[in-house]
Amino acid sequence: FSALKNAQEKDQLNEGSTLLFQTALEISKKEKRADLEIWVSLNYAFYFYTYRKYEKCFPLFMYCIKALEEADGFSIIQICDTYKKIGYFLSTTNDYDNAEEYLKKAYQYAKPESSDMASILNSLGFCSLAKNNFTGAETYFKKTLEMAQKSGDNLRYAKALGSIAELELKRKNFDKAITLLQRDIAISKKNKGDHNTMYALTLLSKAYLENGDIFNAEKNLYIAKDYATAKSHFRSSEYQINEMLLKIAKIKGDDKHELLARRRLEKLKDSLMDFDAKETVLRVGWEFQKKQLQMKVEMDKNKIEKESYLKLSAIIVACL
């Protein structure tokens, strides 16, 4: 809890939180408490995940998934939160089917009409959207809006508006998407949700750009860029923003701003490879598939060995 509080206050990766997580993990192992070890590992993993250290969070999440599948005779601490966080991680690796499985498990344990329930519904909506199931996505997003309103979570309500906007953008309903995003941004700013404000501004710029409004696209990108440069773990967003600025500069034939965008992209590229680049996420996704296969083979092997042991025991007993 101290590690989590420290990270929340500093809003970044820090040595203090990392050492506290490591100590907590050592204690849980010494106590031989599988439930505690899963819980600590999950929070440690989510700490890295939040601040875009995907490769560091990966083995911790993998341990949790394996331990939960083998869980026997102990209760899971904060069961809803556990399944929800694993669901978030799996969606990042583009493993949407398994992400949905964990999110649906989390939903079963979520408090009715809560912010948690709204968050889970929104994530399920994004899984459907990623699989081009627009009808399913719309149903989930509308339920998210309703749940966020009932729980009084204004920021989640704003995010749900943005989620519906993403759906409308895929449907090429630009005017509808723009209106929804403008509402999302207004609520996010009011509730000091910097990350969501930045995300919505970038999406709004994309909507304007696809609708042929270059002026408003560029204007909102520069506002989004101010948010992106404020925090180190927003670098991937800054990269995306600069890619869009480069595209606009090319359309306008603006050599000066094209050069500036290219230079910034080059500077960001190297740091992102070890921090939070899209390439890293895709690499993690590929590794996840291999690890998942290894895990299945290992579990099948254990199952066969267990069955062989039981058969041998039965034969010995019968002989006796």
Side-chain angles (χ1 to χ4, degrees):
F1 283 120
S2 295
L4 290 167
K5 189 174 186 293
N6 200 30
Q8 188 179 18
E9 285 174 354
K10 294 185 178 180
D11 196 20
Q12 63 181 8
L13 288 170
N14 63 88
E15 193 178 344
S17 287
T18 304
L19 287 171
L20 284 164
F21 275 122
Q22 287 171 355
T23 307
L25 196 53
E26 285 168 14
I27 294 167
S28 64
K29 285 176 180 178
K30 282 177 184 175
E31 291 292 321
K32 295 181 181 178
R33 285 277 303 274
D35 55 345
L36 275 177
E37 195 175 342
I38 291 170
W39 182 68
V40 173
S41 297
L42 185 75
N43 280 283
Y44 194 15
F46 205 73
Y47 160 71
F48 285 128
Y49 173 84
T50 302
Y51 299 109
R52 310 296 193 269
K53 283 285 186 182
Y54 292 114
E55 288 186 328
K56 284 199 172 185
C57 77
F58 176 75
L60 290 160
F61 272 118
M62 287 306 303
Y63 161 74
C64 292
I65 292 167
K66 185 179 178 183
L68 285 167
E69 284 183 359
E70 295 175 350
D72 184 28
F74 65 83
S75 59
I76 300 164
I77 299 168
Q78 292 182 321
I79 191 164
C80 172
D81 194 55
T82 296
Y83 287 138
K84 182 180 73 173
K85 284 174 177 172
I86 291 172
Y88 289 167
F89 168 72
L90 291 171
S91 63
T92 306
T93 67
N94 299 337
D95 187 1
Y96 299 111
D97 291 332
N98 280 317
E100 280 179 330
E101 187 183 327
Y102 275 93
L103 288 166
K104 283 175 181 177
K105 283 180 183 179
Y107 185 83
Q108 291 174 5
Y109 294 98
K111 189 180 175 183
E113 297 184 3
S114 65
S115 182
D116 256 349
M117 193 168 271
S119 175
I120 293 161
L121 286 166
N122 200 57
S123 296
L124 282 164
F126 270 112
C127 288
S128 295
L129 191 61
K131 297 196 290 185
N132 292 317
N133 178 4
F134 292 172
T135 306
E138 187 171 26
T139 302
Y140 279 126
F141 291 149
K142 284 182 176 177
K143 283 181 180 177
T144 305
L145 273 179
E146 185 186 338
M147 205 62 64
Q149 201 166 28
K150 284 180 179 177
S151 64
D153 189 338
N154 294 325
L155 195 55
R156 177 57 56 190
Y157 186 84
K159 287 178 182 178
L161 289 171
S163 300
I164 297 170
E166 287 202 53
L167 173 62
E168 295 302 339
L169 194 55
K170 282 206 170 190
R171 287 172 168 168
K172 306 296 180 185
N173 296 331
F174 301 118
D175 291 338
K176 199 170 181 180
I178 287 164
T179 303
L180 286 163
L181 285 164
Q182 286 170 339
R183 286 177 63 197
D184 175 3
I185 292 160
I187 298 167
S188 295
K189 280 183 177 178
K190 191 177 177 181
N191 289 272
K192 297 179 181 178
D194 289 354
H195 185 268
N196 197 57
T197 303
M198 176 189 65
Y199 185 84
L201 281 163
T202 309
L203 199 60
L204 179 61
S205 300
K206 186 182 176 184
Y208 277 128
L209 189 59
E210 288 189 21
N211 203 29
D213 187 345
I214 294 170
F215 174 79
N216 276 311
E218 190 175 28
K219 176 186 165 185
N220 284 284
L221 275 174
Y222 278 112
I223 301 168
K225 192 176 179 179
D226 288 339
Y227 283 96
T229 53
K231 292 176 183 177
S232 59
H233 57 280
F234 288 171
R235 282 182 200 165
S236 59
S237 298
E238 189 190 348
Y239 192 91
Q240 184 189 355
I241 290 163
N242 276 283
E243 281 184 319
M244 290 175 72
L245 286 169
L246 177 61
K247 187 178 180 180
I248 289 169
K250 283 180 178 178
I251 293 167
K252 289 169 68 178
D254 187 338
D255 295 338
K256 181 186 173 183
H257 284 93
E258 183 181 342
L259 183 61
L260 287 170
R262 284 187 187 280
R263 281 177 178 171
R264 186 58 187 157
L265 284 170
E266 281 302 314
K267 282 183 180 179
L268 286 167
K269 197 171 184 179
D270 291 338
S271 64
L272 283 175
M273 285 305 293
D274 295 320
F275 195 71
D276 62 350
K278 191 185 290 183
E279 290 87 350
T280 303
V281 181
L282 292 174
R283 188 163 71 250
V284 167
W286 171 244
E287 287 299 321
F288 175 74
Q289 296 299 325
K290 290 196 290 184
K291 286 278 184 180
Q292 207 176 29
L293 181 62
Q294 287 169 11
M295 189 191 296
K296 189 177 184 302
V297 169
E298 191 179 328
M299 287 182 73
D300 289 345
K301 185 183 174 183
N302 290 340
K303 188 179 176 183
I304 291 165
E305 285 175 356
K306 189 177 178 182
E307 285 173 353
S308 298
Y309 174 77
L310 289 170
K311 283 177 184 175
L312 182 63
S313 299
I315 291 165
I316 291 167
V317 170
C319 289
L320 288 168

